[in-house]
Amino acid sequence: MLAYAKALGAGIGLGIMYALIRVDSPAPPPVALTGLAGMLIGFGLLEAVA
């Protein structure tokens, strides 16, 4: 659970920094969300196997 909180905090921090320096997200939202979903699925599968 702590890892999720750290990831959320890092994401919020980067989002604020992007907004402050007016940089667009490096990936279109659907692509970014698909990548995040893949990471979560992979992490869950690895946790289940290990």
Side-chain angles (χ1 to χ4, degrees):
M1 187 69 165
L2 183 61
Y4 289 109
K6 287 180 181 179
L8 179 62
I12 291 171
L14 285 173
I16 291 170
M17 287 179 11
Y18 278 14
L20 289 174
I21 60 175
R22 300 182 194 272
V23 174
D24 290 332
S25 176
V31 174
L33 291 176
T34 303
L36 288 172
M39 289 170 59
L40 288 173
I41 291 169
F43 183 79
L45 289 174
L46 186 61
E47 288 278 319
V49 171

